[in-house]
Amino acid sequence: MPLLDPLSSIAATLRKDNVIPDLISEDFRPSVLFSLSWGDKEALLGNELTKADTQGEPNVQLTPMGTVEDAEGGSTTFTLAMVDPDMPSHADPKFSPVRHWLISGLKSPTTGEVLAAASAETELLASVPDPLSASSTKPAITPYFPPSPSPGTGMHRYVFLLFQEPSGGYTLPIDAPEFGAELEQRLSWSGMDFAKRHKLTLVGANYFTLFSE
């Protein structure tokens, strides 16, 4: 019996809540698995979380599945965007997508870093970062803004789009709108248009749902 490809069902799951085609084109084929966690809470392709669960920046873990250049030595970097395509509501998304978070230069730890962390003394593990966590040495382009849907607006989808960066990365002009942190500066932002401008390739997607109070 053939082994199941963990990527094979992602596109079908993204269609379930219309992430495809609302944000992502029908021809999307993921090549990186990634997870986002807030303590013991995790985004799992459409599971329901709460405002309390998602107040801080999530921890990000990346798992390239062989079609992305090996990240050993830090050669492959990624940009991660978090958007809400249901602003102010799923029924009336006139201000969507809202850019909740945008970070660049994200990379997985090298094999050597993982092995070094794993060999640390057990009593020290609680005081060091998760050795499997992705990290970036760059400040966030857009700082994290936690989910806060208006009362009575129903279900919101919070979608994470993972893009592989071109070799050498990319640089934004100092007046790029993505540096805007106020709510009105985050509205009606297309991650796919941003990717096209900066030659980014969509390689992964994940999301959770949250209901307004």
Side-chain angles (χ1 to χ4, degrees):
M1 181 177 178
L3 294 174
L4 292 177
D5 177 1
L7 296 169
S8 62
S9 63
I10 290 179
T13 305
L14 293 170
R15 289 186 182 94
K16 178 174 67 72
D17 285 318
N18 294 317
V19 176
I20 296 176
D22 288 357
L23 288 173
I24 301 172
S25 66
E26 289 283 356
D27 61 356
F28 171 59
R29 297 293 181 270
S31 56
V32 177
L33 291 173
F34 70 103
S35 64
L36 305 116
S37 58
W38 298 259
D40 61 351
K41 304 296 183 180
E42 186 174 353
L44 296 169
L45 285 169
N47 61 315
E48 184 179 341
L49 297 175
T50 68
K51 289 170 60 176
D53 293 335
T54 55
Q55 282 303 296
E57 288 187 9
N59 178 64
V60 182
Q61 296 181 346
L62 305 176
T63 308
M65 300 301 288
T67 59
V68 174
E69 181 184 354
D70 187 354
E72 177 66 42
S75 59
T76 301
T77 56
F78 302 89
T79 289
L80 180 65
M82 174 186 174
V83 298
D84 173 6
D86 302 314
M87 175 68 175
S89 70
H90 185 65
D92 181 26
K94 59 188 175 184
F95 301 129
S96 299
V98 176
R99 187 179 69 257
H100 276 257
W101 194 31
L102 185 63
I103 56 174
S104 65
L106 192 67
K107 53 187 169 183
S108 296
T110 65
T111 301
E113 289 169 340
V114 172
L115 292 175
S119 66
E121 294 294 331
T122 301
E123 61 267 22
L124 295 179
L125 291 180
S127 65
V128 299
D130 185 335
L132 297 179
S133 297
S135 62
S136 175
T137 58
K138 300 180 179 180
I141 298 171
T142 307
Y144 183 77
F145 182 70
S148 54
S150 298
T153 56
M155 184 191 78
H156 287 245
R157 298 162 295 170
Y158 291 90
V159 181
F160 295 86
L161 302 172
L162 185 70
F163 302 96
Q164 185 173 343
E165 298 176 357
S167 177
Y170 63 99
T171 302
L172 296 180
I174 59 173
D175 59 348
E178 286 75 22
F179 290 120
E182 299 301 320
L183 177 58
E184 60 271 16
Q185 297 172 308
R186 298 172 181 258
L187 303 178
S188 304
W189 182 81
S190 170
M192 299 309 296
D193 287 349
F194 176 82
K196 185 176 181 179
R197 290 196 301 272
H198 299 288
K199 297 180 171 57
L200 309 178
T201 302
L202 183 66
V203 293
N206 202 340
Y207 74 108
F208 66 89
T209 60
L210 188 150
F211 285 79
S212 64
E213 297 175 350

